[in-house]
Amino acid sequence: MLKFFDSHAHLDDEKFDVDRKKVISEIENSDIACFVTAGYSLEASKKAVKIANQYNFIYATCGISPNDIPQDEENLWKEILEIESIVKSNKDSKKIVAIGEIGLDYYWEKDPKARANQQYWFRRQMNLAREKKLPIVIHSRDAAKDTLDIAKEEKLSEIGGVVHCFSYSVEMAREYLNMGMYLGIGGVLTYKNARVLKEVVDYAPMDRLVLETDSPYLTPVPNRGKRNSSQNLPYVVMAIAEIKGITTKEVEDITWENAVKMYHCLRKYYGHSY
């Protein structure tokens, strides 16, 4: 029997430091049957892999997000090389399922030179994913055009993956869907001001949507303001079901299959052939 697949969360986050083992135990004994804890820096990636290697139902991603790129280029090169080493050393375990989260974030960064640096390392990590035959997890905020331009230039359709916490227009969603990408849908869908995201979910085919929490952040209504958890996924499922006019069971089943296909995981523990 299929259950929920949380395709993107952050178990390494300091908000879980006081009760991480308890949280994992609660997830393990809930309807969350599979979970991906996403790296976003060298340290977070190391923690994600460590956690994933301890639990059958948890997987990890490794990468350096645009907000965590070291200013010192020498140190950045060292971190990228270490990320590559981690991915290579865990190849046989199948617990690292993607390179990410990587991408562009112009929300805080206004300096053109710093933005160009983000773009360079986005491309380099995309090429790492291509080399390791792994999908990518894209983080993109206030950088719609540059992210899409790089995706096209680097032939993202040959790599695959997900646009995490998708927040752009239907037109932008169409571009990524045409490249075979998945869209990560989380708690934001339940917010009153989420009109554009609701339009995207209405437009996108169900076989291109995956569930995510980004926990401990972006908690859905009715628990907004509290620490997010994978156990809040049913609220996202209900929102998708209402928009699509299908049952929550259909949403659960389809998003499960989507995540399994996207990450090429569960072969070892669940016997799928994806």
Side-chain angles (χ1 to χ4, degrees), residues 153-164:
E153 291 166 11
E154 297 295 334
K155 296 182 172 56
L156 178 59
S157 59
E158 298 176 358
I159 301 172
V162 58
V163 184
H164 153 61

Side-chain angles (χ1 to χ4, degrees), residues 184-204:
I185 308 299
V188 174
L189 186 65
T190 68
Y191 299 172
K192 288 183 179 180
N193 62 350
R195 177 185 59 82
V196 174
L197 181 56
K198 290 175 182 177
E199 291 175 355
V200 167
V201 170
D202 184 44
Y203 167 77

Side-chain angles (χ1 to χ4, degrees), residues 66-69 71 104-119 141-143 146:
N67 294 320
D68 293 273
I69 294 174
Q71 297 304 307
L104 305 176
D105 194 324
Y106 296 167
Y107 183 78
W108 299 111
E109 190 54 77
K110 308 302 180 186
D111 177 48
K113 184 177 180 180
R115 288 184 174 187
N117 197 40
Q118 286 189 15
Q119 295 167 21
R141 183 165 63 159
D142 287 3
D146 284 352

Side-chain angles (χ1 to χ4, degrees), residues 104 119 122-123 126 146-154:
L104 305 176
Q119 295 167 21
F122 181 27
R123 292 177 190 272
M126 288 179 72
D146 284 352
T147 306
L148 182 62
D149 287 348
I150 290 173
K152 290 179 177 180
E153 291 166 11
E154 297 295 334

Side-chain angles (χ1 to χ4, degrees), residues 11-271:
L11 275 176
D12 66 281
D13 193 275
E14 61 183 11
K15 292 185 185 327
F16 291 119
D17 284 353
V18 295
D19 60 350
R20 184 172 290 106
K21 288 186 177 180
K22 180 175 181 290
V23 169
I24 293 174
S25 178
E26 289 173 349
I27 294 171
E28 191 171 20
N29 292 296
S30 71
D31 286 334
I32 311 302
C34 201
F35 187 103
V36 172
T37 184
Y40 53 87
S41 66
L42 176 58
E43 190 60 33
S45 295
K46 287 179 177 179
K47 289 181 179 179
V49 173
K50 182 178 180 180
I51 292 169
N53 284 334
Q54 292 174 338
Y55 300 90
N56 286 354
F57 74 103
I58 299 178
Y59 292 82
T61 73
C62 288
I64 300 177
S65 81
N67 294 320
D68 293 273
I69 294 174
Q71 297 304 307
D72 183 333
E73 186 170 343
E74 182 178 351
N75 285 331
L76 178 53
W77 271 105
K78 289 179 180 178
E79 291 196 5
I80 291 292
L81 290 173
E82 192 161 351
I83 289 285
E84 292 178 352
S85 177
I86 291 169
V87 173
K88 183 178 180 180
S89 64
N90 278 265
K91 181 179 179 181
D92 293 336
S93 74
K94 306 295 184 185
K95 298 308 292 286
I96 296 176
V97 294
I99 300 299
E101 54 187 277
I102 62 175
L104 305 176
D105 194 324
Y106 296 167
Y107 183 78
W108 299 111
E109 190 54 77
K110 308 302 180 186
D111 177 48
K113 184 177 180 180
R115 288 184 174 187
N117 197 40
Q118 286 189 15
Q119 295 167 21
Y120 176 83
W121 290 106
F122 181 27
R123 292 177 190 272
R124 177 165 177 80
Q125 292 183 92
M126 288 179 72
N127 287 322
L128 171 62
R130 190 195 310 277
E131 177 189 336
K132 301 302 180 184
K133 295 181 171 57
L134 290 171
I136 65 172
V137 178
I138 293 179
H139 170 114
S140 181
R141 183 165 63 159
D142 287 3
K145 183 182 185 303
D146 284 352
T147 306
L148 182 62
D149 287 348
I150 290 173
K152 290 179 177 180
E153 291 166 11
E154 297 295 334
K155 296 182 172 56
L156 178 59
S157 59
E158 298 176 358
I159 301 172
V162 58
V163 184
H164 153 61
C165 195
F166 191 85
S167 60
Y168 296 135
S169 65
V170 168
E171 291 72 26
M172 194 64 65
R174 183 181 298 117
E175 295 274 9
Y176 285 107
L177 292 169
N178 287 341
M179 285 187 271
M181 294 292 286
Y182 292 86
L183 308 180
I185 308 299
V188 174
L189 186 65
T190 68
Y191 299 172
K192 288 183 179 180
N193 62 350
R195 177 185 59 82
V196 174
L197 181 56
K198 290 175 182 177
E199 291 175 355
V200 167
V201 170
D202 184 44
Y203 167 77
M206 270 304 303
D207 66 358
R208 288 287 134 182
L209 302 180
V210 293
L211 302 177
E212 62 171 52
T213 58
D214 203 29
S215 63
Y217 308 103
L218 301 180
T219 309
V221 175
N223 294 322
R224 192 175 183 182
K226 301 177 182 178
R227 185 181 71 177
N228 200 5
S229 162
S230 296
Q231 294 179 66
N232 283 316
L233 277 179
Y235 297 114
V236 181
V237 168
M238 286 188 285
I240 294 175
E242 183 177 355
I243 292 169
K244 289 294 194 182
I246 59 179
T247 67
T248 55
K249 180 65 165 59
E250 287 176 294
V251 175
E252 293 168 24
D253 290 354
I254 296 171
T255 54
W256 170 280
E257 296 292 335
N258 294 346
V260 170
K261 290 176 182 177
M262 179 179 77
Y263 283 137
H264 311 295
C265 63
L266 303 184
R267 295 176 181 177
K268 183 174 181 180
Y269 301 109
Y270 292 87

